[in-house]
């Protein structure tokens, strides 16, 4: 383990492109963190291989082997805590977490969601934005509270919805932005610039009245 780097555990369920963005930012010297472990609830998640390639412990805890959400989350929490992270990063972790798990990591649990929250909580956000005829869509980084996709928002990136967009094309445009704003938000936390107290967040000591808009 690297001395003095800010310890992080990343939870994934799938491709892990946001994990990769953090690995790459860290390798470029732009993200002063140590990813101590990556844990997936899906043993076949391609993101586990991304972690292994970067020399990061890659662990699968298959939620299907557990009889309840509570027992899975308890096992997950025990594994996460073995690595003593100061921040737990949800990067495409597609499980609803129990209130006990969320409470255990109050202000130490962060998520990226592919919509301009509070719009489109839950799934299929890209198709929903297209179906609604929205002119713009985007992605949000937020601290996690017990309200699904409802915690205080740190930063959002906006992208246009183009007339010929498919959900896949729109997702790609959104993910390109995710790979910029998620490492940035984690960096602010690692540097102690971004802090959270309950539903209140501050950047450089100033309370955020509204989410930061990336790129403007
Ligand atoms: C990301 O686009 C993230 O916003 C989304 O899953 C994708 C994971 O991609 N998360 C959610 O929908 C959470 N509700 P990745 O595995 O390539 O990072």
């Amino acid at each position: 383990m690297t001395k003095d780097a800010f310890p992080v555990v990343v939870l994934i369920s799938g491709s892990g492109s946001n994990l990769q963005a953090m690995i790459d930012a860290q390798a470029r010297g732009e993200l002063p963190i140590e990813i101590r472990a990556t844990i997936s609830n899906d043993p076949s998640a391609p993101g586990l291989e991304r972690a292994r390639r970067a020399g990061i412990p890659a662990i699968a805890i298959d939620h299907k082997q557990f009889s309840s959400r509570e027992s899975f989350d308890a096992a997950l929490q025990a594994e996460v805590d073995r690595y003593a992270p100061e921040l737990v990063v949800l990067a495409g972790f597609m499980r609803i977490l129990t209130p006990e798990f969320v409470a255990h990591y109050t202000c130490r649990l962060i998520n990226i969601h592919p919509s301009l929250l509070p719009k489109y909580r839950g799934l299929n956000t890209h198709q929903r934005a297209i179906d609604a005829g929205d002119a713009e869509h985007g992605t949000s980084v937020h601290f996690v509270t017990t309200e699904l996709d409802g915690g205080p928002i740190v930063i959002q990136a906006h992208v246009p919805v183009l007339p010929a967009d498919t959900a896949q094309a729109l997702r790609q445009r959104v993910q390109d932005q995710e790979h910029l704003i998620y490492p940035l938000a984690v960096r602010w936390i690692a540097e102690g610039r971004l802090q959270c107290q309950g539903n209140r967040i501050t950047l450089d000591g100033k309370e955020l009245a509204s989410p930061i808009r990336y790129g403007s």
Side-chain angles (χ1 to χ4, degrees):
M1 294 184 185
T2 319
K3 210 166 159 274
D4 293 338
F6 186 79
V8 167
V9 168
V10 180
L11 305 187
I12 63 167
S13 300
S15 156
S17 69
N18 280 286
L19 165 69
Q20 188 69 55
M22 290 188 204
I23 292 170
D24 294 346
Q26 194 224 13
R28 289 194 304 268
E30 293 170 6
L31 190 55
I33 64 170
E34 177 193 2
I35 303 176
R36 288 194 175 168
T38 295
I39 306 173
S40 174
N41 64 298
D42 179 351
S44 67
L48 288 172
E49 188 49 35
R50 294 182 191 266
R52 275 185 214 110
R53 274 204 306 269
I56 297 165
I59 299 136
I61 304 178
D62 186 351
H63 68 274
K64 295 199 197 83
Q65 305 296 321
F66 292 80
S67 58
S68 67
R69 191 174 292 284
E70 286 71 23
S71 59
F72 170 75
D73 278 13
L76 179 63
Q77 183 178 311
E79 188 64 20
V80 169
D81 285 350
R82 283 185 52 210
Y83 295 94
E86 292 202 32
L87 182 69
V88 178
V89 174
L90 304 179
F93 186 69
M94 304 305 282
R95 298 267 314 164
I96 293 175
L97 293 160
T98 56
E100 292 74 19
F101 185 97
V102 172
H104 182 71
Y105 297 105
T106 298
C107 284
R108 292 191 294 142
L109 186 57
I110 194 164
N111 183 43
I112 192 157
H113 181 75
S115 77
L116 295 172
L117 289 170
K119 267 191 158 180
Y120 310 131
R121 297 175 183 189
L123 300 174
N124 301 320
T125 58
H126 310 296
Q127 192 59 53
R128 287 158 68 198
I130 291 171
D131 291 348
D134 290 356
E136 66 170 9
H137 182 47
T139 178
S140 309
V141 175
H142 66 95
F143 284 98
V144 176
T145 61
T146 48
E147 191 188 345
L148 178 67
D149 299 326
I153 303 166
V154 176
I155 185 167
Q156 295 183 315
H158 296 236
V159 303
V161 180
L162 304 179
D165 261 344
T166 59
Q168 177 55 34
L170 187 52
R171 175 177 30 235
Q172 191 55 58
R173 195 173 310 118
V174 166
Q175 285 206 333
D176 289 347
Q177 296 299 304
E178 292 190 335
H179 301 160
L180 300 173
I181 67 169
Y182 213 8
L184 184 61
V186 170
R187 177 182 182 154
W188 288 338
I189 295 171
E191 291 175 341
R193 295 179 56 193
L194 180 64
Q195 297 189 339
C196 150
Q197 289 110 19
N199 270 327
R200 195 171 161 267
I201 45 183
T202 55
L203 182 64
D204 296 333
K206 267 184 64 183
E207 183 160 1
L208 285 188
S210 53
I212 293 164
R213 186 179 168 127
Y214 183 70
S216 58

